[in-house]
Structures are given as structure tokens and as C-alpha cells.
């Protein structure tokens, strides 16, 4: 599949930057002419992934959140959100609905479930002590713009 466009950004792991990440990714995919629902799905999934980096990956410590976005032909959007935080020891357990590593912060443990419900595919890779990468994939239904080289 041919790569059509790509973007990268990084920012400090501050809660206030979650909205920035959501907006930046939205601006990146808006040229595909997504429906309101598709754009909302992407924004919600990105918001959950970034929040996971901030809350669980860095656990009240400063760090950097990295986002790489790619658009492929046929309107396939791939967004990779990663941190260099504590990592996840048991990815399968972490992806179970209602599991959280921060119950004292009233976390619902639904982040990965939300990502999965709004994306076509979610991949998680993690190494304890080195960080976590979440890759979100979604195909935008529109046939306009980038898939035809405009």
C-alpha cells in the first residue's frame, strides 16, 4: 500500500496537551473528508491513547508523548502514539475492560476497549522500563482527496 502523507509530533506528557493531540490528528486527517462520526472516532481513540501515556506510562513523572500519523492509499489512516515510560508487563491483562493500574485516580479501565470500539484495528507493543506504542488504524469511507492524488 502506498504512503500518501505523513506527520510526526511530540509534546510534554501534560494533561493539557491531550486536547492538542486530538486537534492535531484531526487536522491531519480532515483532508480525507471524514464523516463527523469518523472524525469523532479518531479523536476519541487518540485521546484515550494519549491519556494512557500520560497517566499510566509516565505515572506523574515528566516525559514526552510521540505521535506519528500516516495516510495510505484507499484512505487508510494509521496513528501511532508512544511513550518511553514504564511499559506494560501484561498487555493482554491491560486490554481487559475495567482493568486499571490507577484505581486510586478513579480510572475506569476502559481506554483500550474504547480505542478498539472506535478503530478498525488496535495494536499494542510494550517493553517494561522502555515504554509502550499503540497503533490505531481506521479506514475513512470517503473516496475524495488523497486517495486520488488531489
Amino acid at each position: 500500500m502506498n504512503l500518501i502523507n505523513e506527520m510526526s509530533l511530540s509534546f510534554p506528557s501534560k494533561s493539557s496537551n491531550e486536547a492538542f493531540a486530538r486537534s492535531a490528528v484531526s487536522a491531519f486527517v480532515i483532508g480525507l473528508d471524514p464523516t463527523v462520526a469518523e472524525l469523532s472516532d479518531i479523536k476519541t481513540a487518540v485521546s484515550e491513547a494519549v491519556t494512557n501515556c500520560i497517566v499510566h506510562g509516565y505515572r506523574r513523572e515528566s516525559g514526552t508523548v510521540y505521535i506519528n500519523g500516516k495516510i495510505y492509499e484507499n484512505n487508510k489512516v494509521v496513528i501511532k502514539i508512544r511513550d518511553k515510560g514504564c511499559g506494560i508487563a501484561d498487555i493482554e491483562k491491560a486490554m481487559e475492560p475495567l482493568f486499571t493500574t490507577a484505581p486510586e485516580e478513579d480510572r475506569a479501565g476502559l481506554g483500550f476497549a474504547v480505542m478498539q470500539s472506535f478503530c478498525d484495528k488496535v495494536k499494542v507493543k510494550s517493553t517494561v522500563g522502555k515504554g509502550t506504542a499503540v497503533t490505531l488504524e481506521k479506514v475513512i469511507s470517503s473516496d475524495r482527496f488523497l486517495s486520488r492524488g488531489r
Side-chain angles (χ1 to χ4, degrees), residues 14-67:
K14 296 180 181 184
S15 293
S16 59
N17 285 332
E18 178 269 327
F20 164 70
R22 218 178 36 233
S23 297
V25 172
S26 295
F28 178 66
V29 301
I30 200 74
L32 294 174
D33 196 28
T35 65
V36 170
E38 289 169 330
L39 192 57
S40 179
D41 290 353
I42 291 170
K43 289 167 57 174
T44 301
V46 166
S47 177
E48 290 294 334
V50 169
T51 298
N52 276 358
C53 291
I54 295 166
V55 172
H56 302 290
Y58 290 116
R59 299 181 192 234
R60 296 189 185 106
E61 293 185 14
S62 295
T64 303
V65 177
Y66 304 88
I67 298 181

Side-chain angles (χ1 to χ4, degrees), residues 41 44-45 48 110-119 122:
D41 290 353
T44 301
E48 290 294 334
L110 294 172
F112 287 122
V114 168
M115 289 179 238
Q116 289 173 319
S117 69
F118 289 115
C119 293
V122 176

Side-chain angles (χ1 to χ4, degrees), residues 44-109:
T44 301
V46 166
S47 177
E48 290 294 334
V50 169
T51 298
N52 276 358
C53 291
I54 295 166
V55 172
H56 302 290
Y58 290 116
R59 299 181 192 234
R60 296 189 185 106
E61 293 185 14
S62 295
T64 303
V65 177
Y66 304 88
I67 298 181
N68 178 264
K70 294 181 179 182
I71 297 173
Y72 293 92
E73 62 188 0
N74 300 322
N75 296 340
K76 181 179 179 181
V77 177
V78 178
I79 308 293
K80 182 176 184 178
I81 297 111
R82 95 184 148 82
D83 63 60
K84 293 182 180 180
C86 64
I88 301 170
D90 185 343
I91 293 171
E92 193 173 311
K93 181 75 175 165
M95 293 184 78
E96 288 179 8
L98 305 179
F99 176 82
T100 182
T101 60
E104 70 282 355
E105 295 180 21
D106 293 325
R107 297 291 169 179

